[in-house]
Amino acid sequence: MLRGALKNMTNKVVVLGSLNVDTTLHIAQMPKPGETISAKSKTNSAGGKGANQAVAAARSHAQTSFIGQVGRDSAGDFMIAALKKDGINTDHVTVTDQSGTGSAVILLDEAGQNSIMVYGGANQAMQTDVISKSETLIADADVLISEFETPQEVTYAAFKLAKQHGVMTILNPAPAATIKPGLLSVTDLIVPNETESVTLTGITVTDTASMDDNAAKFAAMGIQNVIITVGDRGAYYHTAKASGFVPAFKVHAKDTTAAGDTFIGAFSAKVNPDFSNIENALIYAQQASSITVQRMGALPSIPTTEEIKETYK
């Protein structure tokens, strides 16, 4: 149950991120090096970290817009249609002739764990000029989210613009990579999972003390507000005013593919700009991701606000 009420109004959210067509191979267990195994079945669905986050925000009633890029191909048409189906503004999704639409191959085992291989394609071909064309959109937002499936220099340009207009910026550093100089200075909140946090700070996440150490290292790197997600254990948070840990809801996971993205998208829809309701927003995000992992696929698994309220009433 939520401790108190979330705000009635949701945020205007802009997501700058990736659009991928996901191919999921369902297998009994992960292959060993050099081993050939048979897939039990194969499914295709819309995905990409950016798309997942945007759909999660939209299904939590955030007014959501997308900045991204696809190829001039059927996969690109498929991804734009998938966003529009959830009422997401796609006016700032550009189409390129230089690269194909991004894609991902997901190995999903019977325990619900996955390994993901991503082809960036049009996502990685994005240029910073798309951001100058999106200034009005960004300026009107409450929250701008980005991750590392699109070029960091594009995110940096977008975040600088967002800060000029007083817009909250949330960085999901996934997949983990060296953060380019300057990006954290225009980031209000960084949201890595435990593996990404270790990669970025060099400090292993084992307990609350080690999470505090990670937060201190991030502060030394220039970012004060941190959320570290730790899978089925929950989420740690640290801001300039408070820190704590919100436990996850215990469920049987079938597919964890979009869990972290659902968490971020749902959180972005509800959090206040001053983080005054951060614990409630985190509880809501945990509820959303707990439903996602019980379903198959990326976009199809993401719940609506109504489903979350019905499940955790």
Side-chain angles (χ1 to χ4, degrees), residues 18-295:
S18 57
L19 297 165
N20 295 330
V21 176
D22 292 345
T23 298
T24 301
L25 299 176
H26 302 264
I27 57 178
Q29 58 189 24
M30 293 296 169
K32 301 178 179 64
E35 181 183 16
T36 299
I37 63 173
S38 296
K40 298 163 64 178
S41 61
K42 180 179 77 168
T43 55
N44 293 299
S45 64
K49 295 190 69 63
N52 297 340
Q53 291 164 4
V55 167
R59 292 182 186 173
S60 285
H61 294 178
Q63 182 178 321
T64 309
S65 301
F66 202 93
I67 302 172
Q69 185 165 265
V70 296
R72 196 175 301 279
D73 48 35
S74 60
D77 295 338
F78 174 71
M79 289 306 307
I80 291 174
L83 294 180
K84 287 183 176 179
K85 186 176 180 180
D86 275 284
I88 296 168
N89 175 7
T90 62
D91 291 348
H92 294 263
V93 176
T94 57
V95 179
T96 178
D97 294 307
Q98 305 305 311
S99 303
T101 299
S103 62
V105 176
I106 302 167
L107 300 181
L108 176 64
D109 69 17
E110 291 178 344
Q113 297 304 309
N114 60 58
S115 292
I116 304 174
M117 295 151 284
V118 178
Y119 162 67
N123 298 310
Q124 286 296 327
M126 287 181 67
Q127 302 291 323
T128 55
D129 61 354
V130 305
I131 300 306
S132 59
K133 299 173 184 176
S134 303
E135 180 169 4
T136 300
L137 179 72
I138 292 172
D140 190 48
D142 297 304
V143 180
L144 173 63
I145 306 171
S146 192
E147 21 73 18
F148 286 170
E149 287 186 345
T150 50
Q152 284 193 44
E153 54 267 26
V154 178
T155 297
Y156 184 37
F159 277 23
K160 284 194 294 183
L161 197 58
K163 296 321 299 171
Q164 291 174 20
H165 293 283
V167 176
M168 176 193 286
T169 53
I170 298 178
L171 178 65
N172 174 214
T178 301
I179 300 177
K180 292 188 179 297
L183 180 54
L184 289 182
S185 68
V186 287
T187 299
D188 292 313
L189 173 68
I190 190 168
V191 189
N193 65 23
E194 55 188 312
T195 302
E196 293 150 2
S197 192
V198 173
T199 299
L200 295 172
T201 68
I203 302 171
T204 302
V205 174
T206 55
D207 53 18
T208 301
S210 64
M211 294 180 207
D212 288 337
D213 291 341
N214 270 264
K217 183 62 177 288
F218 277 120
M221 294 165 64
I223 178 72
Q224 296 289 332
N225 304 308
V226 181
I227 294 172
I228 303 172
T229 58
V230 285
D232 61 4
R233 285 185 288 163
Y236 165 89
Y237 68 94
H238 180 93
T239 70
K241 296 180 179 179
S243 65
F245 191 86
V246 176
F249 294 85
K250 299 302 179 183
V251 298
H252 175 68
K254 293 181 179 179
D255 182 359
T256 60
T257 301
D261 298 329
T262 298
F263 177 94
I264 291 171
F267 175 83
S268 72
K270 301 296 183 181
V271 68
N272 291 334
D274 61 357
F275 300 115
S276 58
N277 69 339
I278 188 169
E279 189 168 351
N280 277 338
L282 285 171
I283 292 170
Y284 177 84
Q286 293 279 26
Q287 291 172 341
S289 59
S290 75
I291 295 173
T292 293
V293 300
Q294 296 179 74
R295 301 170 171 177

